[in-house]
């Protein structure tokens, strides 16, 4: 499409956004952009939902970064439904956005709609979670955490914590089934425990990354398992829910049951400081600036790295700097 036509389309796209704003979706033009100027980049972003403090922080990071970068953001929330995300992507194609970015709720079922984006000549950036596809050309790159390493880090903490102990019984609260963080945090954790039969995962149930389900599932595990020594929760929301269930039985979280969690939200760091959680593996949601930088490169026709991982660390009871950590911002 020649630049002049693209410009017309884009202007039309921005005008057509009005109905979306009225229907509760959000589209934001950078405050300082003069009304007549067309935005540097029109980015369509489909967020999977608002299930955890991590997700809310991720959404805030993306919206603030778009504002800062002068990017016109067409932001839609799928409320945990893959079918909604597929509709979002079709809307972005209809509006002729410059780039499509989205956080795929689950890894499979995207080929058809991404083929439509490819045929429309719109590059796609995967954020936060990956997809599984035979056709690697359906997306330009991925920006998000190394979930397998997060699982390995959780396992490595446990090996250090339980050194010399035998018959250690572990329960796992896993995330959304078929999501990249759920699959890879589980695989990484098991890889780290390979060759340590003294550490046994006796039960694994999905709490869908939700605090309420974490509490319900942990209550059930406490009722059905003879003894639980360790809880490995794939995110802080489920770990915090599980802590409530553990306390309701009179047991002390972090002491009677060792707890390892992932994300690094403020509430989990506070629980770590109080000794209710023993290890929090960081998974940063603050990837908005990198999403804008990669999107601008795609819009300019540049190649981007296939995979971009943010810097992340592990927080645990073995650290001496817990009291000096900066506020987490999510
Ligand atoms: C990880 C992200 C996960 C978080 C959860 O990148 O997809 O989803 O770990 C969130 O808190 O719900």
């Amino acid at each position: 499409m020649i630049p002049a036509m693209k410009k017309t389309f884009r202007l039309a796209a921005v005008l057509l956004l009005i109905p979306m704003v009225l229907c509760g979706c959000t589209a934001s033009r950078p405050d300082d952009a003069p009304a007549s100027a067309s935005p540097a980049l029109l980015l369509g972003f489909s967020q999977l939902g608002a299930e955890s403090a991590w997700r809310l922080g991720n959404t805030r990071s993306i919206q603030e970064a778009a504002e800062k970068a002068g990017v016109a953001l067409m932001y839609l929330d799928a409320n945990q439904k893959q079918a909604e995300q597929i509709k979002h992507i079709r809307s972005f194609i209809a509006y002729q956005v410059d780039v499509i970015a989205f956080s795929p709720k689950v890894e499979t079922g995207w080929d058809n709609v991404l083929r439509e984006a490819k045929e429309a000549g719109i590059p796609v950036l995967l954020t936060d979670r990956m997809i599984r596809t035979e056709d690697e050309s359906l997306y330009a790159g991925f920006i998000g955490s190394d979930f397998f390493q997060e699982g390995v880090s959780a396992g490595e903490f446990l090996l250090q914590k339980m050194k010399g102990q035998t018959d250690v019984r572990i329960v796992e609260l896993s995330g959304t089934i078929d999501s990249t963080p759920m699959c890879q945090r589980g695989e990484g954790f098991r890889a780290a425990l390979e060759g340590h039969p003294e550490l046994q995962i006796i039960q694994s149930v999905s709490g869908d990354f939700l605090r309420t389900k974490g509490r319900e599932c942990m209550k059930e595990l406490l009722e059905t398992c003879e003894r639980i020594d360790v809880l490995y929760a794939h995110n802080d929301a489920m770990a915090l829910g599980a802590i409530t269930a553990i306390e309701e039985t009179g047991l002390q979280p972090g002491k009677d049951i060792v707890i390892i969690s992932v994300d690094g939200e403020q509430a989990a760091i506070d629980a770590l400081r109080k000794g209710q959680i023993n290890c929090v593996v960081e998974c940063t949601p603050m990837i908005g600036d990198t999403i804008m930088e990669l999107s601008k490169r795609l819009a300019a026709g540049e190649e981007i790295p296939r995979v971009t991982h943010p810097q992340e660390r592990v927080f645990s009871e073995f650290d001496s700097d817990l009291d000096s950590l900066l506020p987490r911002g999510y």
Side-chain angles (χ1 to χ4, degrees):
M1 183 178 292
I2 55 174
M5 270 177 73
K6 188 98 178 166
K7 217 169 167 64
T8 314
F9 261 110
R10 181 175 301 152
L11 213 53
V14 175
L15 292 173
L16 280 169
L17 287 182
I18 294 164
M20 289 179 75
V21 174
L22 296 177
C23 71
C25 315
T26 58
S28 58
R29 151 197 288 287
D31 276 346
D32 54 354
S36 57
S38 86
L41 157 69
L42 181 55
L43 172 65
F45 182 81
S46 172
Q47 181 59 290
L48 68 86
E51 74 282 2
S52 62
W54 187 99
R55 186 66 54 200
L56 298 176
N58 179 245
T59 295
R60 223 178 15 256
S61 169
I62 290 163
Q63 291 174 329
E64 289 171 0
E67 186 78 28
K68 200 166 60 174
V71 168
L73 181 66
M74 198 186 288
Y75 170 90
L76 295 174
D77 181 323
N79 191 21
Q80 307 295 328
K81 297 182 181 70
Q82 179 179 25
E84 284 303 305
Q85 288 197 286
I86 290 171
K87 280 185 203 164
H88 294 169
I89 293 169
R90 290 200 166 109
S91 303
F92 298 148
I93 294 169
Y95 281 108
Q96 293 283 314
V97 298
D98 296 299
V99 177
I100 292 171
F102 75 111
S103 178
K105 177 178 175 177
V106 293
E107 293 198 328
T108 52
W110 303 100
D111 279 19
N112 291 339
V113 73
L114 294 185
R115 211 164 284 122
E116 292 167 30
K118 182 180 175 184
E119 283 155 12
I122 302 176
V124 172
L125 175 66
L126 299 181
T127 72
D128 162 33
R129 298 184 183 178
M130 278 294 278
I131 66 170
R132 247 179 290 137
T133 177
E134 299 296 314
D135 182 355
E136 293 292 307
S137 74
L138 292 180
Y139 65 93
F142 163 77
I143 156 71
S145 298
D146 181 346
F147 303 113
F148 184 86
Q149 180 53 50
E150 290 173 351
V152 169
S153 299
E156 287 173 345
F157 166 81
L158 193 60
L159 288 169
Q160 187 181 356
K161 174 73 179 175
M162 308 310 267
K163 199 173 177 68
Q165 300 210 25
T166 57
D167 185 24
V168 176
R169 300 177 190 184
I170 305 162
V171 295
E172 179 184 49
L173 288 177
S174 66
T176 303
I177 293 169
D178 192 30
S179 69
T180 312
M182 180 263 185
C183 298
Q184 295 187 11
R185 285 173 183 164
E187 289 160 16
F189 185 66
R190 286 161 177 76
L193 301 189
E194 193 81 37
H196 289 273
E198 73 280 13
L199 302 173
Q200 279 297 321
I201 300 172
I202 57 171
Q203 282 281 357
S204 179
V205 288
S206 173
D208 208 13
F209 286 132
L210 298 170
R211 184 165 183 155
T212 50
K213 283 192 80 172
R215 179 177 176 178
E216 287 159 22
C217 293
M218 193 63 197
K219 182 173 182 295
E220 185 135 349
L221 288 167
L222 287 161
E223 287 164 356
T224 53
C225 296
E226 190 190 326
R227 192 187 82 233
I228 298 171
D229 303 308
V230 178
L231 164 63
Y232 171 44
H234 285 192
N235 84 329
D236 296 338
M238 295 189 292
L240 294 164
I243 284 172
T244 304
I246 292 167
E247 289 177 327
E248 283 167 349
T249 65
L251 292 173
Q252 287 192 68
K255 294 176 182 53
D256 301 318
I257 297 180
V258 170
I259 298 179
I260 303 164
S261 183
V262 189
D263 274 352
E265 70 175 76
Q266 190 60 57
I269 297 300
D270 294 345
L272 174 63
R273 286 181 176 136
K274 285 189 282 192
Q276 292 177 316
I277 293 182
N278 305 84
C279 173
V280 180
V281 177
E282 184 181 27
C283 173
T284 180
M286 306 306 180
I287 54 175
D289 289 334
T290 311
I291 290 172
M292 298 309 144
E293 184 234 318
L294 293 171
S295 298
K296 284 188 173 179
R297 288 169 61 183
L298 286 174
E302 290 175 27
E303 293 275 309
I304 63 169
R306 283 298 287 177
V307 175
T308 303
H309 288 319
Q311 287 293 315
E312 293 174 337
R313 64 166 279 186
V314 177
F315 303 101
S316 85
E317 63 187 44
F318 303 136
D319 292 334
S320 55
D321 67 341
L322 292 183
D323 291 335
S324 59
L325 291 177
L326 295 173
R328 299 293 299 155
Y330 62 105

